[in-house]
């Protein structure tokens, strides 16, 4: 029952060198937004005892969470497609995996926007210190320029055409 499960979880926490740890590879991940929908990948790592990693699979869930400045959605002026519980599976001997998020690029000049990411529900692993991360969507749009093909002085009459 529940008591046995709790005892196992207690043992995992007591003997951290026996159980692998999963975490984000970095606290922040940067990506230019682009001008169309595109996919951005980020890395989740697994570290721990070599013998355990060599013989055992692990998994963890990754989600976008509330708290960033970017707008989630699939239409209009949204910045990314929110996701919940994307499974990241580590096969035996694997120490690095990627997960992905769909970004919705645009032509709008805007500040850097952020998406909060989190890990949860590890299987055959513990969550490491870097269990949250921030995806920074970097604006790559440039302001337009206006130029005249002829040099000189131009005058405009405010009442013309009224």
């Amino acid at each position: 029952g529940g008591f046995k499960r709790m005892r196992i979880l207690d043992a995992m926490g007591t003997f951290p060198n026996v159980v692998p740890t999963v975490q984000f590879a970095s606290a922040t991940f940067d990506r230019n937004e682009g001008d169309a929908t595109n996919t951005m990948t980020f890395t989740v790592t697994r570290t721990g005892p070599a013998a355990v990693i060599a013989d055992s699979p692990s998994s963890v869930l990754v989600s976008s969470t509330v708290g960033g400045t970017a707008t989630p959605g699939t239409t209009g002026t949204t910045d990314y497609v929110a996701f919940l519980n994307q499974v990241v599976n580590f096969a035996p001997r694997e120490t690095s995996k990627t997960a992905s998020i769909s970004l919705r690029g645009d032509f709008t000049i805007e500040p850097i926007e952020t998406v909060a990411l989190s890990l949860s529900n590890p299987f055959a692993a513990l969550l490491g210190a870097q269990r949250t991360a921030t995806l920074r969507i970097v604006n790559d749009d440039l302001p337009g320029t206006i130029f005249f093909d002829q040099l000189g002085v131009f005058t405009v009459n405010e009442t013309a055409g009224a």
Side-chain angles (χ1 to χ4, degrees):
F3 181 71
K4 289 180 186 175
R5 178 180 166 93
M6 189 57 148
R7 301 282 292 169
I8 291 170
L9 292 175
D10 286 345
M12 289 173 64
T14 304
F15 304 106
N17 295 328
V18 179
V19 179
T21 300
V22 291
Q23 64 185 359
F24 287 108
S26 177
T28 58
F29 299 95
D30 288 0
R31 171 70 180 255
N32 286 346
E33 72 174 346
D35 297 329
T37 299
N38 62 85
T39 301
M40 188 265 177
T41 59
F42 48 92
T43 304
V44 179
T45 60
R46 180 172 72 151
T47 58
V52 175
I53 289 177
D55 294 335
S56 303
S58 297
S59 65
V60 67
L61 300 179
V62 63
S63 301
S64 58
T65 58
V66 182
T69 60
T71 305
T74 57
T75 60
T77 59
T78 59
D79 301 302
Y80 72 100
V81 178
F83 63 96
L84 182 65
N85 298 336
Q86 185 180 133
V87 180
V88 176
N89 288 310
F90 291 90
R93 294 177 294 287
E94 288 184 322
T95 57
S96 180
K97 297 290 281 192
T98 58
S100 61
I101 185 171
S102 182
L103 302 181
R104 302 193 68 230
D106 57 33
F107 296 100
T108 304
I109 299 170
E110 53 201 348
I112 292 174
E113 297 172 299
T114 60
V115 178
L117 303 172
S118 68
L119 297 175
S120 64
N121 296 6
F123 171 77
L126 296 172
L127 290 178
Q130 197 60 60
R131 59 186 65 190
T132 61
T134 301
L135 164 61
R136 293 171 13 114
I137 304 171
V138 180
N139 179 62
D140 60 358
D141 300 308
L142 301 173
T145 57
I146 298 175
F147 65 93
F148 296 97
D149 59 353
Q150 295 179 6
L151 296 177
V153 176
F154 295 92
T155 58
V156 176
N157 183 344
E158 290 184 36
T159 60

